[in-house]
Amino acid sequence: MILAQAEQAHLREQLRREPNALERELVAAMWSEHCSYKSSRHLLEQLPKTSDRTLVQEGENAGAVRIGNDIAGRSYALVFKMESHNHPSQITPNEGAATGVGGIMRDILAMGARPVATLNALRFGEPANPKTKTLLKGVVEGIAFYGNCTGIPTLGGECDFDPDYNDNILVNAMTVGVAPVEQLCSARAQGEGNLVVYLGAKTGRDGINGATMASQGFARQGEQEPAEQETKMQVQVGDPFAQKRLLEACLEAVEKNLLQALQDMGAAGLLSSSSEMAAKGKIAMTLDLDQVPTRQPALVPLELMLSESQERMLAVVEARHIEALAAIFAKHRLDCCVIGKLGAVSEHPLLLLQWHGRPQASLPVRLLGDAPSCRHEQASRTTPPPVRLPANPPPTLEALRKILLSPRMLCKEWVTRQYDSLVGGQTLEGPGGEAALLRLEQTHEILAFTCDATPRYCRNNARRGAMQAVCEAVRNLSAVGATPLAITDNLNFGNPEDPLVMGEASDTVAGLAEACRAFGLPVVSGNVSFYNETEGRSIPPTPVVGAVGIIEASAQDEALPPFARALPLAGERLLFLLGELATSSRDEDADLDTGLGASLYMQEVMEERHGEPPAIDFIQEKENAAFLREAVARGLCRCARDLSCGGLLTKIAVLAMQADCGAHLSQSEATRKACGDSAGEAVWWFGERQARYLLCLTEEQAESLSSEAQQRGIALLSIGRLEDTRRLTLPSGQAISLEALSKEWRGGLARLADA
C-alpha cells in the first residue's frame, strides 16, 4: 500500500528522518483504513459507550458487560463483538467467511472469555446475478464448517438479497463469550523485562496485506486476471481444529493466571498485535523475528510482520510462568515461542524489530496506531420523494404471495440447517426466532442475542434507517422477554472519498447515537468497513446492530419457561396487534406515516425503492417493549413477533406456516375503516409502521392483557385467530392455501442455491 503524499510528509516529520522501505510498508499497513479508522473515528466519538454494567474501557479487543453471579458469588461478564470479512469473502467465499468467524472468536478469547455463541449478518446480490449462487453456497459452507468444527453454536443472524450487493457482498460475524469478571484479560502490555510470546499455529504467506486489500475497492468484476489472482493470497486460510486447541490452551493459561496480556493476531498480523499492545501500555517492545515459527521457508521481515495466518495469539508473560505456559501449549500441539521482550515505560516507546542479528525497523508505537485523521468532505443525499398510496395495487393475497416468495423473505432453513445450533447443550432457541436464547449454566440466567439491519431504509434516509436497526433489535429481544443490555455494531459503507458516502456515514452514526441514548444502551464494541465498492459503485449504508439481552433467573416462569416459544397448546389461539395502527388517507397533501415508504411491499410488489422510511417514536417503542417484556415474564404471552419487515399480513402468514396451521382474520371497526379501498388494504396489511408486535394468546391471556393495555393506554387490537385449516382467510372472505405456499416458501432458497 502506498502512503498519500501528506501521510509521507507526516511520517517524515514525526520520525525526523527518512523511513527505510520496511518501516514505510509497516506504517502504510497500520495507517490503512481497515486498521486505523482514520475516516470514521471522529464520527464514532458521539456514540454512548458506558452504562452501569460496562466493565472495560474503549480500545480492548471486545466489549464486556456485567451479568449475574454464580453460586460461589463470582460475578460474570458477557463479552461480545462484531466484525466484517467482506472483501475476503467476495474473493474466496468459503475461506473468507470461515476466517471471519475464526477471527471474531479470537477477539473474544483475547478477553479471557470462552466463546459460547456466534451469529452472522449476510448480504448477497440478486439471485439472477451469476455470482450469487457461488458466493451464497461458499459463505454459508465456510461459516458452518468453522463454527461446527470448533464446537461453538451458530445461533442466528440475517441472510438477505438485493441487487445493491451484486458486486460487494457483506459477511459480518458476531461472537459472544462468558467469563468470570476477575478473569477478564487486557491487551495492555505491562512489566519491563516481561516476555513477548507467540502462541498458536505457524506463520505462512497467507493473508499478507489482507488489511490493505480490505481498505480498497474492487477495480472490476468477472474472470480473475493475474493481478486478481494475487489477491487470493491475501485471504487467510483457517483451521478450526487448531482454533479449538488454541481456545482450550489459552483459557487454561488464563485460568492459571499465567498471562499478563493477550491479543489476537488479526488484521495486519504480528505488526498490529505487537504495536497495539505496546501502545496501550506505553511501553517499548523488541521483537526477534528469527524466533517466529514458520511453515514456509525464507519468509522476510515484511512477510513475518504482515502475515494474517490464522489461529495465532500474542501474549505478554512473566519469565517465571514461561515453562508452565509452554507445557500447556505442548499438550495441545501448538507453538509457544518467546519472540521478544518489553522495555521501559516512556512517553515515546519504540517497537524495535531485529532479524538475523541486525536491526530492521525502529518505530514509535504511538505513531503506528495514530494515523492522520481523514476528515473527508460530506454531502447529503436528496430527500426521496414521498410514497403516495398506490392507485391500482394488486389484490392483497397476490401481493402477499409475491412478498413471501421474494428472495429476502424466503425461509432461511436451507442456511440454518447447515449450522450446529445445539452443540454445547445450552441452546434454548436457535435460528428462526425473534432472538436466539442460551441458558448460562453458571448464573442460571438466559441470554438473548440478535442481529438486525435494514439497508433499504438506510438507502433513503441513513439516519432514520440506523435508528430503526436499534429499535428492531430492542423489539426482537423484548419479544422473547429479554431486557436489552448493550449493542455492538458493524457499519458497512462504500468509498469514504465520495462525499455522498461520508454523508451517509455521518448520518448513520448520528442515528445510532440518538437511538442508543434513547434506550440507554451503550455501544461497547464494533467495526467500520469502508471501500465496499466496485468500479465506483458503492453499497448502500448498511449498519448492522448486534444486541444482547438477559432474562434474569428471578423473572423466569418455572411452570412454562419463557424460552418455550411454541404457540399456546390448548384452547383458542388468538391473534393481536400490539401497537398503533397505520394511517391511511386520500389527502395528497397530508404527511402520512403509512409505513409504506421504503417498504418491502413497495420494493417487491410495486417495484419502487424510494420513499421516507417509517417514523420512529422512542416513547412508544419503550412503552410497548416494556409492556411485552412484563407480559412474557408473567406468563401472559408465549408467542410474539416483531412487526417490521413485510408488515402485518406477512408476519401472520409466516407464523401460520411455521406452526403448520392456518389463520382466519376478523373484521373490526378499525379494519373496516382502514381497508375502505385497495390502497387502504395495502397500508393496513403491508405497512411497516414501527413499535408494533404480533401476539398469539389464549383467551385467558388476552383478557388479562387487554385490560392492562387499556389501563396503560397501549394499543392492543384483536385481529383474528389461528386455526387448523392451513388456509389464510381475510376478513373479506378471500383465502389462500398455505399448504402449497409453504412448500414454495420453505424450499425456495434451496432452489436458488441449486442445492
Side-chain angles (χ1 to χ4, degrees), residues 581 666-676 680-681 684-685 717-719 731:
L581 310 177
S666 59
Q667 183 79 277
S668 68
E669 169 113 14
T671 312
R672 280 192 296 272
K673 182 178 179 182
C675 300
E681 282 196 37
W684 174 263
W685 294 122
L717 177 69
S718 174
I719 56 173

Side-chain angles (χ1 to χ4, degrees), residues 592-616:
L592 303 176
D593 182 21
T594 64
L596 288 183
S599 68
L600 206 54
Y601 176 86
M602 294 304 295
Q603 184 162 314
E604 297 296 336
V605 179
M606 305 306 296
E607 298 183 352
E608 291 185 17
R609 294 160 69 90
H610 61 257
E612 278 286 333
I616 304 292

Side-chain angles (χ1 to χ4, degrees), residues 492-515:
N492 305 275
F493 305 106
N495 190 333
E497 298 160 44
D498 180 344
L500 288 175
V501 170
M502 276 310 296
E504 292 170 341
S506 178
D507 289 345
T508 295
V509 177
L512 286 174
E514 182 177 351

Side-chain angles (χ1 to χ4, degrees), residues 280-413:
K280 289 168 185 173
K282 296 182 179 179
I283 198 166
M285 181 183 291
T286 300
L287 299 182
D288 182 356
L289 299 183
D290 293 297
Q291 303 306 313
V292 174
T294 62
R295 64 170 183 264
Q296 291 169 292
L299 268 67
V300 298
L302 183 63
E303 295 172 319
L304 293 167
M305 293 299 290
L306 293 185
S307 169
E308 294 180 13
S309 294
Q310 296 292 282
E311 293 83 45
R312 304 180 306 158
M313 306 288 284
L314 193 66
V316 173
V317 181
E318 295 179 24
R320 62 192 175 98
H321 293 317
I322 193 63
E323 288 188 12
L325 184 66
I328 292 173
F329 277 78
K331 178 176 65 176
H332 289 282
R333 306 190 311 281
L334 294 168
D335 282 302
C336 174
C337 305
V338 176
I339 64 169
K341 183 177 287 190
L342 297 185
V345 174
S346 69
E347 282 299 312
H348 304 288
L350 298 176
L351 177 66
L352 305 174
L353 305 183
Q354 296 180 344
W355 188 56
H356 294 352
R358 302 178 63 179
Q360 301 293 311
S362 176
L363 292 167
V365 295
R366 189 173 65 178
L367 174 69
L368 286 164
D370 191 21
S373 179
C374 292
R375 292 182 177 261
H376 299 292
E377 181 184 349
Q378 297 179 15
S380 298
R381 289 202 179 275
T382 305
T383 302
V387 167
R388 298 301 177 187
L389 298 178
N392 296 297
T396 297
L397 293 178
E398 181 182 320
L400 173 65
R401 178 183 177 85
K402 199 163 188 177
I403 291 173
L404 286 172
L405 298 183
S406 66
R408 61 171 27 96
M409 277 304 299
L410 286 174
C411 178
K412 302 304 189 295
E413 286 179 358

